[in-house]
Amino acid sequence: MATAGKPQNDSDVSHNTNSSKTYNDAVKLGLIPKDYLNGEPHVNIHETLSSVKPVFILETDLFGEVKPSPDQFLTHLELYNSIDSCIPKSHLKGLQRVRGMWRIYPDSDNDRVTLITKKIIVRNKLINVYSTNPKSSEYSSLLYLRVRVKDVPCSADDGQILRAIENEGKCTVHKLNRERLRVDGLLTECQTGDRILFATR
């Protein structure tokens, strides 16, 4: 039984058998970059962050020193929508939360300046926006305790080590590195198994 086929259109590259014409049409339609076939690696610009530096906010500016309950946590979606009151949320390239601090990646320097000067309203509260990582200056004044963890397999999960140190040692781990072997003064990619932690109590 014959069925009526979908009428073909010359601009429909999926049905065009002429590879040269198909490529040219795809370029015209913006489906692929002009130099796609030159053998160079291609990057999807929509999946990369711009060169604009991020700005930062601290959850302590919202909650104070009181740890919020899980139902009070600030979520990506809530912050994304809150930023829309300052700059169009479509101008955001990324939102990242790390230990109570948020990195906000705007699309342009103008948006970055706007965020810093206007600040962000979250839950009817004006939240300060930092131009640099506020925790880096905070931590630079702290005295770190350097801890070496030995006799641990390379395959052991770093997260378990970190949690054990924080729970048993009653301290806060700020950084955890895997030690690598030095040969003739040069650092290699060969791990020794030791973990180096920097913590404060």
Side-chain angles (χ1 to χ4, degrees):
M1 177 178 175
T3 57
K6 181 181 177 182
Q8 291 188 8
N9 187 326
D10 285 341
S11 64
D12 186 354
V13 296
S14 64
H15 294 89
N16 202 313
T17 57
N18 186 320
S19 61
S20 177
K21 183 174 175 57
T22 300
Y23 172 73
N24 290 333
D25 288 342
V27 170
K28 287 178 183 177
L29 293 172
L31 299 176
I32 59 176
K34 187 175 181 180
D35 60 345
Y36 190 78
L37 297 181
N38 67 0
E40 297 294 326
H42 300 281
V43 178
N44 185 342
I45 59 172
H46 300 293
E47 294 182 359
T48 59
L49 294 177
S50 65
S51 59
V52 179
K53 292 181 179 179
V55 293
F56 307 83
I57 66 170
L58 294 174
E59 288 186 351
T60 51
D61 290 341
L62 177 63
F63 301 115
E65 296 302 324
V66 179
K67 186 175 181 180
S69 58
D71 62 317
Q72 295 176 321
F73 285 166
L74 182 61
T75 65
H76 284 78
L77 180 59
E78 183 181 6
L79 182 57
Y80 180 78
N81 289 326
S82 297
I83 290 173
D84 193 44
S85 64
C86 185
I87 64 170
K89 55 189 176 185
S90 60
H91 291 192
L92 285 178
K93 299 294 285 185
L95 285 176
Q96 181 185 29
R97 182 186 182 277
V98 181
R99 291 178 173 266
M101 182 186 74
W102 288 83
R103 290 188 181 96
I104 302 170
Y105 294 87
D107 198 22
S108 68
D109 284 316
N110 287 339
D111 289 330
R112 184 175 187 273
V113 171
T114 301
L115 285 168
I116 295 170
T117 54
K118 284 191 173 182
K119 303 180 174 36
I120 301 171
I121 297 176
V122 181
R123 300 180 186 177
N124 297 318
K125 186 174 183 180
L126 194 63
I127 303 299
N128 191 37
V129 177
Y130 301 89
S131 60
T132 58
N133 186 337
K135 290 198 171 186
S136 62
S137 57
E138 172 188 332
Y139 292 158
S140 63
S141 62
L142 297 176
L143 293 177
Y144 287 103
L145 181 65
R146 187 174 185 271
V147 180
R148 178 185 292 271
V149 181
K150 299 181 69 69
D151 301 325
V152 179
C154 290
S155 58
D157 178 44
D158 290 345
Q160 290 183 331
I161 298 172
L162 186 147
R163 287 189 292 273
I165 293 291
E166 288 191 330
N167 293 336
E168 299 298 327
K170 307 298 181 187
C171 62
T172 300
V173 175
H174 299 284
K175 193 173 184 181
L176 186 152
N177 294 329
R178 288 179 171 234
E179 186 183 59
R180 286 173 168 76
L181 186 67
R182 282 188 180 274
V183 177
D184 297 329
L186 299 177
L187 197 63
T188 69
E189 288 300 315
C190 180
Q191 298 183 17
T192 66
D194 289 5
R195 308 314 200 265
I196 309 297
L197 299 92
F198 296 89
T200 54
R201 302 192 74 169

